[in-house]
Amino acid sequence: MKLLHFYKYQGTGNDFIMINQMETKVLDGSETALIRRLCDRRFGIGADGLILLQPRDGYDFEMDYFNADGRRGSMCGNGARCTVAFARSLGLEQSSYYFFAPDGPHRARLSTEKESWIEIEMSDVQEIERGQDYFL
């Protein structure tokens, strides 16, 4: 059995399992059942998702995000803020960041009002679907 070193972060009530892959790759993202098991609140670590922090050419880092069901997610704002805080805790201390997420590039910066707050630039909504009793 292999040891898995992880960290647990939360942002505005969403919690995430964080794995540092900046130097050594531990997971490649194909481990859907394992990620689902790790995120399970009864039999695993318990989390809303799992995030792999890893290097990516042209960016400060890559945030590879997985939902609790083990499938790759598109983007999570709270997860992104946690990922920036995680990168900072590992020594990547900057006032702004340029990172890659499953939905493409993003920018983040430390808040000018409160230093420990992290602001994320999210992509604009391109399309809104209107259903009988919902908007997506």
Side-chain angles (χ1 to χ4, degrees):
M1 183 173 194
K2 191 171 157 181
L3 287 179
L4 177 67
H5 295 275
F6 70 91
Y7 298 79
K8 187 89 180 273
Y9 274 64
Q10 74 83 23
T12 319
N14 292 128
D15 59 336
F16 306 95
I17 298 166
M18 313 293 287
I19 298 176
N20 178 7
Q21 297 200 138
M22 293 300 282
E23 294 178 10
T24 304
K25 192 168 198 163
V26 179
L27 302 175
D28 65 16
S30 67
E31 305 89 352
T32 305
L34 174 62
I35 294 169
R36 183 173 48 247
R37 193 168 65 234
L38 291 171
C39 291
D40 187 288
R41 295 203 182 274
R42 290 193 175 124
F43 300 105
I45 298 164
D48 292 317
L50 180 138
I51 297 172
L52 304 174
L53 175 71
Q54 49 202 23
R56 179 149 181 145
D57 288 341
Y59 297 88
D60 294 315
F61 57 82
E62 178 178 359
M63 166 193 157
D64 203 1
Y65 170 67
F66 298 85
N67 289 307
D69 64 4
R71 293 182 296 167
R72 186 171 270 114
S74 61
M75 175 56 172
C76 175
N78 287 332
R81 292 184 315 109
C82 288
T83 304
V84 170
F86 183 44
R88 288 181 59 75
S89 77
L90 296 173
L92 187 61
E93 295 185 30
Q94 303 170 185
S95 60
S96 65
Y97 298 84
Y98 184 54
F99 67 96
F100 193 84
D103 69 336
H106 290 272
R107 294 197 180 276
R109 65 183 165 277
L110 298 182
S111 171
T112 55
E113 295 177 23
K114 294 187 178 185
E115 186 178 326
S116 62
W117 287 24
I118 298 165
E119 300 171 345
I120 303 292
E121 291 180 13
M122 301 287 284
S123 303
D124 291 337
V125 174
Q126 300 298 316
E127 183 180 326
I128 298 174
E129 177 184 322
R130 183 180 181 160
Q132 186 174 358
D133 56 356
Y134 71 89
F135 290 92
L136 175 65

